Amino acid sequence: MTPKKYPIFLNLEGRKILIVGGGSACLEKLMGLEHTGANLHLISLEYSDEVIRFLERYPQIKRETRAVIEEDLNHRDIIFLATSDPETNQRFRTLAKNKGIWVNSVDDPKNCDFYSSSTVTVGPIQFAISTDGMFAGVSSTLRKLFEEVLPEEDHELLETIFIMRRNLKELLPNQEERRKVLKGIIQKLNSEYFHKP
């Protein structure tokens, strides 16, 4: 039986993330890391216009235009190898592994310690979709489906529900009392709107 991956949401705030490469794969990683609070550092021989435009909005992201060297891997928490050169990705994947650093080698599942997922964010709720790095198109299609089912206008409603639950925890610190109240609300909604005679 093939081992399953363990899904996880990482707190990357303040973590040191290196992205090697400056093309479309780099842009995809930047967009996924945009609001994580991670300390991002990019190294590439060249950058696409789209990446440059993205970086203009975030002057705090460090960018260097040069070839990556082994010393660049030091003191990193996670590394994304997003170059178009498989040999470079493979070499630095091996070096990072020897240093005990987790690596995602873009479009090369065999050389990944983890896979990036396709995500859908609806207010406080986040869905992660993965195909074990084998079929990104399926993840993208499912993401679009979730976005249609949970439209933008529902974000505020979901935020309100989460705030109400948090406030209820303060008003009713006893878990059993809180459970009774929440259960009563759900039963009322169910009987008034979803119960079929």
Side-chain angles (χ1 to χ4, degrees):
M1 180 177 171
T2 306
K4 292 284 184 188
K5 303 299 180 293
Y6 183 74
I8 189 170
F9 285 91
L10 295 174
N11 178 5
L12 296 180
E13 187 174 4
R15 296 291 184 176
K16 296 175 182 176
I17 311 294
L18 174 66
I19 302 176
V20 182
S24 58
C26 168
L27 180 64
E28 181 185 311
K29 299 306 171 193
L30 283 171
M31 291 170 71
L33 293 162
E34 185 173 5
H35 302 295
T36 61
N39 292 324
L40 302 178
H41 185 170
L42 275 63
I43 298 175
S44 182
L45 291 170
E46 56 186 356
Y47 296 90
S48 70
D49 292 340
E50 291 84 359
V51 169
I52 291 170
R53 279 196 293 273
F54 181 96
L55 294 175
E56 284 171 356
R57 302 195 326 257
Y58 299 97
Q60 74 274 21
I61 296 177
K62 186 175 180 183
R63 175 182 64 163
E64 295 187 73
T65 306
R66 61 174 175 82
V68 64
I69 58 174
E70 182 176 352
E71 286 72 22
D72 293 322
L73 307 183
N74 295 337
H75 312 295
R76 308 291 179 183
D77 293 302
I78 290 177
I79 296 170
F80 291 93
L81 296 170
T83 79
S84 55
D85 180 10
E87 288 184 14
T88 297
N89 292 343
Q90 174 63 58
R91 185 162 76 87
F92 283 93
R93 154 77 168 123
T94 302
L95 290 169
K97 190 172 176 112
N98 291 339
K99 293 174 185 284
I101 305 167
W102 281 31
V103 175
N104 175 276
S105 191
V106 177
D107 293 332
D108 187 5
K110 295 189 304 298
N111 287 306
C112 289
D113 294 307
F114 65 96
Y115 305 136
S116 297
S117 59
S118 185
T119 59
V120 180
T121 303
V122 184
I125 299 173
Q126 191 172 35
F127 296 92
I129 306 160
S130 173
T131 57
D132 272 2
M134 292 186 282
F135 201 160
V138 170
S139 294
S140 178
T141 301
L142 287 171
R143 177 177 53 78
K144 288 173 185 168
L145 179 64
F146 273 114
E147 288 171 343
E148 287 175 16
V149 172
L150 298 165
E152 188 78 25
E153 55 268 24
D154 289 345
H155 291 204
E156 191 176 332
L157 176 62
L158 289 167
E159 290 279 6
T160 302
I161 291 169
F162 274 62
I163 291 168
M164 287 172 68
R165 183 181 180 275
R166 187 174 65 234
N167 291 343
L168 190 62
K169 285 178 82 172
E170 292 175 12
L171 289 168
L172 295 173
N174 182 283
Q175 189 176 5
E176 278 306 312
E177 287 183 43
R178 202 166 56 242
R179 185 176 286 129
K180 284 178 187 174
V181 170
L182 289 170
K183 189 175 179 181
I185 291 169
I186 292 167
Q187 286 174 340
K188 188 173 191 307
L189 282 170
N190 189 45
S191 63
E192 289 188 15
Y193 297 102
F194 304 108
H195 180 69
K196 293 181 181 179

